[in-house]
Amino acid sequence: AVYDPCACEDASAAVDWLRAQGFRRIVVSGVCSGAYISLHVALRNPAVSGVVLANLAKFRWDEADAAAATERVQSM
């Protein structure tokens, strides 16, 4: 699933790993679903210093969205 919560958890774990390696300023970025993931990682992980988001289509993803996404798949 494009907006799977596991992706946010994985990206947040990557931020934690970078912090443990000594990086002090961590910026997350993404386009489309990557922007969604980056936004949510930045909101929940205080180690994120900044974000670069492009074409953020959604701020929230809920069950209705998940149901609609399984009904049809589109490509731009």
Side-chain angles (χ1 to χ4, degrees):
V2 178
Y3 295 94
D4 192 330
C6 291
C8 294
E9 294 165 11
D10 290 347
S12 188
V15 169
D16 292 338
W17 182 85
L18 288 168
R19 188 71 160 166
Q21 300 307 305
F23 292 93
R24 294 183 302 154
R25 298 185 72 217
I26 300 166
V27 176
V28 293
S29 66
V31 174
C32 195
S33 62
Y36 171 89
I37 292 165
S38 295
L39 173 65
H40 286 273
V41 169
L43 290 172
R44 75 170 68 161
N45 194 323
V48 174
S49 301
V51 295
V52 178
L53 308 175
N55 194 29
L56 181 59
K58 297 196 74 65
F59 294 103
R60 271 185 313 127
W61 189 259
D62 57 30
E63 293 300 319
D65 295 316
T70 59
E71 291 174 7
R72 59 185 165 79
V73 176
Q74 295 183 16
S75 177
M76 293 302 229

